[in-house]
Amino acid sequence: MGTFMMIVILAVFVNNFVVVQFLGICPFLGVSKSTRNALGMGIAVTVVMTITCLITYPLYTYVLVPLKLEFLEIIVFIFVIAALVQMLEKFIKKFSPPLYKAMGIFLPLITTNCAVLGVAETVIDKAGMINMVGSSGLGTSVLYGVFAGVGFTVAIVILSGLRTKVDALTPAKSVKGYPIVMVTACFMAMAFYVFNLISL
Amino acid sequence: MIKPQEIRKIGVDGLLRNNPTFRLVLGTCPTLALTTAAMNGIGMGLAVTFVLIFSNAIISALRKVIPNEVRIPAFVLIIATFVTLLRMLLDKFIPSLYESMGVYLPLIVVNCIILGRAESFASKNPVVHSAFDGLFTGLGFTLALTLMGAIREILGAGAIFGVTLWDFRIEFFSSSAGAFFVYGISIALFNFVYTKVESRMHKRKFEKLYGHQELTVQEEAK
């Protein structure tokens, strides 16, 4: 139970993938115009991250390491993610058209989302995981994947809420668009910084 | 072969007009994460430049062979190969840089600048042009990262390129919030200066052609 809570707090707040580790900034800025879309993107990323961890961790530990092919990890991982996203898209389209309507447009974007490759690279680093949450293994990896996704969702939904206010402003031309959203994200990052002060 | 004017145009495009960091806002993750110090910015920038030059050249050389339907997976495979090569080279020859880049080194694969240049330039242009485009886009990225790294290092750590200047420090600029702040303000300033310079250049070109006249909307559209 202790480890579980630790993973939740670390993955969602302290090491938040978006505002603390800067992974997945492109969808964070690009798909946060409306809360509805932000939530859809967040859920899609969480699902893909979970399944990615479920596949890449055993693949790395039980296939690449014994065969001494660790140097191929980047190529293997990116192909697992690309294939997974493609399959998921086909699968959802076939079995749940309403879900596809809500989530479909976000799926192709996820292949190049660095948060997904980032989580795959994070969980295979055994020493790093033990240092961070005190254990490593398939269960820990998948849990970390789930809650890293939840952290992403929390961040993108909060930003989309803030943006409905910010986009209504009419600032100077050169500040409009990305600069003002960055400054909004800056205040969010400050809020998340407080979690660094928690001693676990 | 490539003409000098073409190199000049590609250079201006990569460094200023289509600057990946400030104008297109691509490759934002490493920009925010690795600008805590100027040296990190240079390291990341040059790593991306290396991958960009080679991936652009290879993709351009194979542009007539790769079928249109599977071009994205093919591009990603080529990019991933060069990132793997770069990772091995850095691990062997510059371990300190390898350590400091951490998880962001494998993440060069999903850097949208590289896929963006492959898609919009290398898949349509000859090899030498594409290699130059990779070089200048990469240098534009490197310059932007170094600039932001220098700002954050001076304000946040009171140092530049690891040399301590003074004891005055604002912790905010080293934190993650400072990264967003400096990036946002940098984009705003770059856009401000760029639009000023561009409108002046347009005016000068117009005056050269038509003499000193009022600039009308119709003629500007030409």
Side-chain angles (χ1 to χ4, degrees), chain A residues 18-26 28-29 70-75 78-79 82 86 111-119 121-122 173-176 178-183 185-190 193, chain B residues 24-30 32-34 73-74 76-77 80-81 83-84 87-88 103-107 109-112 115 152 171-172 175-181 183-185 187-189 191-192 195:
Chain A
V18 186
V19 293
V20 180
Q21 296 198 47
F22 307 120
L23 296 171
I25 297 288
C26 300
F28 179 64
L29 299 175
E70 294 103 320
F71 65 91
L72 282 177
E73 78 182 55
I74 303 173
I75 299 175
I78 193 78
F79 263 79
Q86 199 96 78
T111 314
T112 52
N113 182 343
C114 41
V116 180
L117 190 59
V119 82
E121 293 281 344
T122 310
K173 206 180 141 213
S174 46
V175 186
K176 215 175 161 76
Y178 280 113
I180 200 157
V181 178
M182 292 274 187
V183 175
C186 156
F187 290 113
M188 264 183 72
M190 275 183 188
Y193 188 71
Chain B
L24 306 177
V25 196
L26 293 175
T28 41
C29 305
L32 289 166
L34 288 164
V76 171
L77 178 66
T81 310
V83 174
T84 308
R87 200 181 190 192
M88 288 159 139
V103 74
Y104 297 98
L105 184 54
L107 290 180
V109 180
V110 283
N111 189 320
C112 23
L115 200 60
R152 285 183 67 194
E171 286 287 318
F172 169 76
S175 72
S176 53
F180 283 111
F181 185 78
Y183 196 6
I185 299 298
I187 299 174
L189 281 178
N191 280 344
F192 182 73
T195 41

